[in-house]
Amino acid sequence: MPLIHPVLPMRKLLPLVLATLLVSGCGVIYRQPIFQGNLLEKTAVDQLQAGMDQRQVMMLLGTPSIRDPFHQNRWDYVASQRIGRTGAPVVKTMTLWFENGQLARWEGEYFPEQDKMLADNAIRFFGPNLAKDKDKDKRRRRGG
């Protein structure tokens, strides 16, 4: 029975260990931000006006994160950002108050810079005609 030299398995194992360390170290260099919730566009928030009805606000900002059934006159748009797996999340809330179905006031914070960045990235990755392509697909399914 031949004896296996103890250095030979280590010589084969060393490149594998080095490659594993290099690949696992990639997470240290760049941490992808993770966004959740309602990301509001600055242009939409800038268009808010006192007196708008709830439907107009929903068309501008989208569906709120929180519509409390006990406080129908208050809508909360909540968004969070976390960088990395262990980073603490940053939470921002934009609150809108309605009186008699009309927007009375609003206050809070949101991520205006990140929203622009995410929108630009979506256009870059998916193309500027994303909405048009969806419409073409719908027409194709209907046979028109």
Side-chain angles (χ1 to χ4, degrees):
M1 178 156 114
L3 292 174
I4 299 174
H5 194 274
V7 176
L8 187 60
M10 289 298 279
R11 198 175 284 165
K12 289 182 179 180
L13 188 60
L14 186 61
L16 180 63
V17 170
L18 286 175
T20 304
L21 287 174
L22 287 173
V23 171
S24 66
C26 291
V28 175
I29 296 170
Y30 178 72
R31 300 259 187 229
Q32 176 70 31
I34 300 167
F35 297 97
Q36 291 183 322
N38 293 92
L39 292 174
L40 304 175
E41 295 180 16
K42 181 177 178 6
T43 55
V45 174
D46 290 344
Q47 292 179 36
L48 287 176
Q49 297 177 7
M52 292 177 121
D53 64 22
Q54 292 179 343
R55 183 185 55 80
Q56 290 172 316
V57 172
M58 195 175 296
M59 291 296 292
L60 252 163
L61 302 181
T63 306
S65 301
I66 302 169
R67 279 176 78 177
D68 187 349
F70 301 107
H71 302 97
Q72 294 286 329
N73 61 340
R74 177 181 168 157
W75 288 4
D76 291 299
Y77 291 85
V78 181
S80 68
Q81 171 188 3
R82 184 176 59 146
I83 298 178
R85 293 180 184 164
T86 59
V90 176
V91 178
K92 294 189 178 185
T93 304
M94 177 78 130
T95 304
L96 286 70
W97 287 272
F98 294 89
E99 291 177 5
N100 300 321
Q102 307 291 315
L103 182 61
R105 62 187 173 97
W106 60 96
E107 66 181 38
E109 299 179 306
Y110 61 104
F111 296 101
E113 298 84 22
Q114 287 86 341
D115 295 337
K116 173 117 175 74
M117 177 189 69
L118 289 173
D120 291 344
N121 283 340
I123 289 173
R124 187 177 71 207
F125 289 123
F126 301 113
N129 298 323
L130 182 61
K132 293 178 186 175
D133 291 342
K134 284 183 180 179
D135 290 340
K136 285 181 190 175
D137 191 40
K138 285 180 185 175
R139 286 194 299 264
R140 196 176 312 130
R141 279 190 236 145
R142 283 185 280 171

